Amino acid sequence: MLASLSLLYVLLPFAIAGLVRASPIHDEQVREVLAGRDSSLRPLTLGRREAAGVQTRHLRPMEVMLKRDSITPPDVGQIANFDGQDPEPIRGDAGATFLSNSNHEIDAQNPDNVAAPTTDAGTVPNLKWSMSLSHTRLLKGGWVREQAITDLPPSKDIAAAELRLAPNAYRELHWHRVAEWGYILNGTGRISAIDDSGRSYIADIHGPTNGTDPDIYYFPPDVPHSIQALDEGLEILLIFSDGNFDATGTTFMLSDWLARTPLEIVAQNFGVNVSVLANIPQKDPYILESTVPPPPFGHAQDQAIQDPLGTVPSPYVFHLSDQEKKVGPGGWVKIQDSVTNFGVSSLIASALVYIEPNGMRELHWHTNDEWLYIISGTGRATAFAGSSSSRTFDFQPGDTAVFPTSYGHYMKNTSPTEPLIFLELFKASKYVDFSATQWLALMPTQVVADLLGIPNDIVETFKKEKQIIVA
Ligand SMILES: *[C@@H]1O[C@H](CO)[C@@H](O)[C@H](O)[C@H]1NC(C)=O
Ligand SMILES: *[C@@H]1O[C@H](CO)[C@@H](O)[C@H](O)[C@H]1NC(C)=O
Ligand SMILES: *[C@@H]1O[C@H](CO)[C@@H](O)[C@H](O)[C@H]1NC(C)=O
């Protein structure tokens, strides 16, 4: 290893400085060092070898070099296409190859970072975070990983977590200062809670099983709750109505509370002998396994405790499978908020969006920060920040993102074959958006024609109704 590295250090400066044209022999040695002994080092790509002054003509024909240009003219802002080769920061006449290392896997997932459309301008902060970059906390019975404001600083309204529970495992009894909203990514589970009047709630939740859309749920701030996986296990996307979710004391765990309270007080509180409490946990488990499997899916009522005060007036679970789709030319949405159909969810409004191959969520903006989560497929979006600033991002499953309040944006499905499915979340009681096309269609035609320099009869074709998703 040491020998390989020192050879690398001896040879690379010459190649990079371009002072010495490497002989085919040296070239071969560099390649071996970079390729062979240490898998974290990768061979110089054609472009980087060329830039480093390494003669390549004897290795590859000229046509291959020409393919390095990622754009087939005209450049109308299309996504750069590197034809399966390592992306290079080159677009048309602009840019140059990487002269040093880069993380080519990340580059390949983010061609709009490497060779952005020329329409991108100004300084727009990073607006995306992949859950795959989050630390995963492994526990007996599951795991959890989160995206908070420290990961994605522009997301001030919303933080998120992915939570996995093994079959029958519990997320222990707890409450938060903030609202919690959940989307069932897979599996089956059971939630239970009480409201501030002592009315109880228990219900089963399921992921996209049996070809149906999954359930979502909502717990208001401070409503104490627990979640148990059923026999398939459970994975949930959790949303919290505060980007700074990790601030001290945001989650209150019952077992943690009791462990931090004098035992005689706990005993007096519950009216039991102190000796009964000998085995209460001294540290909150966060996730724990069950000792007896619960009644199966669909049998939540078998576990319900008779509540003299009755059950909560407005259900905490919303069945997306019971909701009508709002269909557009290129896909559909299902929108949920407390004003329209999900009464209890007064702090979170949401939309499940399905975009057909090549379809696009139309140009629009919102009156709140939009937080996104990619469930499946691949997408591309440009965030317009006003003041001549915009930035384009590429998305994969498990990506979270935020479009701050008022930013104009779209979301395009970049796959010609796979649907793009994602969630839009807002810290709001009502889902609100403005459609650019609807706006222009409802303005005096001449106003739009004069501004955009397009004929009146074209402006008249603009749709007066929100299309939501265009084909
Ligand atoms: C749910 O999990 C099962 C078992 O691992 C898997 O076959 C299925 O594809 C998953 N469904 C989704 C929507 O991820
Ligand atoms: C899926 O269908 C099977 C067979 O009909 C049923 O037993 C199961 O409960 C269903 N699962 C959900 C989550 O509805
Ligand atoms: C509490 O339990 C202990 C051990 O079982 C017993 O010795 C004691 O008398 C009990 N105290 C009361 C007040 O019942």
Side-chain angles (χ1 to χ4, degrees):
M1 182 62 202
L2 273 181
S4 325
L5 271 183
S6 51
L7 176 60
L8 172 65
Y9 289 136
V10 169
L11 291 177
L12 262 188
F14 288 112
I16 288 170
L19 295 173
V20 176
R21 292 236 142 197
S23 75
I25 287 178
H26 286 151
D27 191 343
E28 198 53 34
Q29 285 172 332
V30 171
R31 206 143 56 101
E32 260 177 36
V33 170
L34 286 170
R37 321 256 161 80
D38 181 343
S39 60
S40 69
L41 297 174
R42 297 178 48 119
L44 290 171
T45 60
L46 181 63
R48 290 156 66 211
R49 290 152 61 91
E50 192 69 10
V54 178
Q55 271 181 332
T56 53
R57 248 173 306 146
H58 61 287
L59 291 175
R60 298 200 203 177
M62 209 60 181
E63 298 83 73
V64 178
M65 263 186 61
L66 292 177
K67 276 176 91 182
R68 260 177 27 222
D69 190 339
S70 58
I71 294 294
T72 307
D75 187 344
V76 289
Q78 64 267 46
I79 205 159
N81 176 9
F82 296 97
D83 255 338
Q85 297 188 25
D86 287 343
E88 298 282 358
I90 295 177
R91 191 173 181 108
D93 295 341
T97 55
F98 285 115
L99 200 49
S100 180
N101 265 320
S102 184
N103 188 325
H104 298 292
E105 285 79 10
I106 293 180
D107 291 341
Q109 288 197 349
N110 299 279
D112 283 308
N113 276 349
V114 182
T118 54
T119 39
D120 276 13
T123 306
V124 176
N126 177 46
L127 298 177
K128 145 175 167 172
W129 177 264
S130 167
M131 281 290 190
S132 297
L133 295 175
S134 293
H135 165 75
T136 307
R137 205 173 143 199
L138 309 184
L139 296 134
K140 229 169 163 219
W143 54 259
V144 63
R145 59 184 183 181
E146 66 172 25
Q147 172 258 293
I149 198 161
T150 41
D151 304 309
L152 186 59
S155 184
K156 297 188 173 57
D157 279 358
I158 287 179
E162 290 173 342
L163 173 72
R164 168 81 160 100
L165 297 176
N168 305 330
Y170 304 96
R171 174 71 181 90
E172 72 159 296
L173 295 161
H174 65 281
W175 73 96
H176 311 279
R177 281 197 188 125
V178 297
E180 171 176 333
W181 182 99
Y183 174 96
I184 314 309
L185 292 164
N186 206 350
T188 51
R190 180 164 298 151
I191 61 170
S192 47
I194 65 159
D195 72 5
D196 58 8
S197 302
R199 294 170 295 194
S200 60
Y201 186 77
I202 185 164
D204 287 349
I205 48 176
H206 68 80
T209 41
N210 296 351
T212 67
D213 285 328
D215 293 329
I216 59 176
Y217 69 78
Y218 176 89
F219 295 124
D222 292 306
V223 159
H225 56 274
S226 76
I227 305 170
Q228 183 170 23
L230 297 178
D231 58 1
E232 292 177 25
L234 186 63
E235 193 168 321
I236 307 180
L237 173 72
L238 304 172
I239 301 299
F240 301 99
S241 60
D242 183 354
N244 197 6
F245 179 69
D246 283 330
T248 311
T250 300
T251 295
F252 298 83
M253 236 76 85
L254 178 77
S255 64
D256 189 27
W257 187 17
L258 300 190
R260 304 270 77 82
T261 304
L263 206 57
E264 63 158 351
I265 299 296
V266 178
Q268 182 180 1
N269 180 72
F270 292 123
V272 299
N273 191 318
V274 164
S275 64
V276 171
L277 301 171
N279 292 326
I280 66 167
Q282 290 310 297
K283 190 183 174 326
D284 65 89
Y286 194 90
I287 290 172
L288 72 155
E289 292 170 306
S290 70
T291 54
V292 178
F297 182 83
H299 292 261
Q301 285 312 314
D302 297 1
Q303 278 190 301
I305 300 295
Q306 194 57 43
D307 187 339
L309 299 163
T311 58
V312 300
S314 188
Y316 292 159
V317 171
F318 183 96
H319 303 291
L320 289 171
S321 54
D322 292 346
Q323 188 181 7
E324 291 271 320
K325 294 168 181 161
K326 207 167 177 174
V327 178
W332 52 262
V333 285
K334 290 183 173 185
I335 294 169
Q336 308 80 38
D337 63 38
S338 65
V339 172
T340 317
N341 50 17
F342 192 14
V344 72
S345 187
S346 57
L347 287 174
I348 299 283
S350 53
L352 174 64
V353 185
Y354 180 100
I355 305 184
E356 285 165 7
N358 296 321
M360 186 173 92
R361 176 83 175 85
E362 66 174 340
L363 287 169
H364 67 284
W365 69 98
H366 306 275
T367 55
N368 289 91
D369 288 357
E370 170 179 345
W371 184 94
L372 298 97
Y373 179 86
I374 308 297
I375 297 167
S376 84
T378 54
R380 183 190 198 211
T382 302
F384 168 58
S387 309
S388 299
S389 300
S390 69
R391 180 166 168 186
T392 304
F393 295 90
D394 307 289
F395 296 105
Q396 285 82 28
D399 281 350
T400 71
V402 63
F403 298 131
T405 306
S406 310
Y407 274 37
H409 56 276
Y410 63 90
M411 175 65 83
K412 160 115 176 128
N413 182 350
T414 49
S415 168
T417 52
E418 298 295 316
L420 169 63
I421 306 172
F422 68 98
L423 293 166
E424 297 180 6
L425 275 298
F426 307 87
K427 186 175 180 179
S429 58
K430 187 173 191 300
Y431 182 96
V432 176
D433 70 343
F434 286 91
S435 153
T437 306
Q438 182 179 47
W439 174 31
L440 300 186
L442 297 175
M443 289 297 100
T445 307
Q446 198 59 45
V447 172
V448 179
D450 283 346
L451 175 67
L452 299 183
I454 54 181
N456 288 47
D457 57 344
I458 298 288
V459 177
E460 280 159 10
T461 65
F462 291 1
K463 302 282 190 264
K464 298 188 184 72
E465 307 256 300
K466 281 180 191 166
Q467 300 297 290
I468 308 174
I469 301 167
V470 295

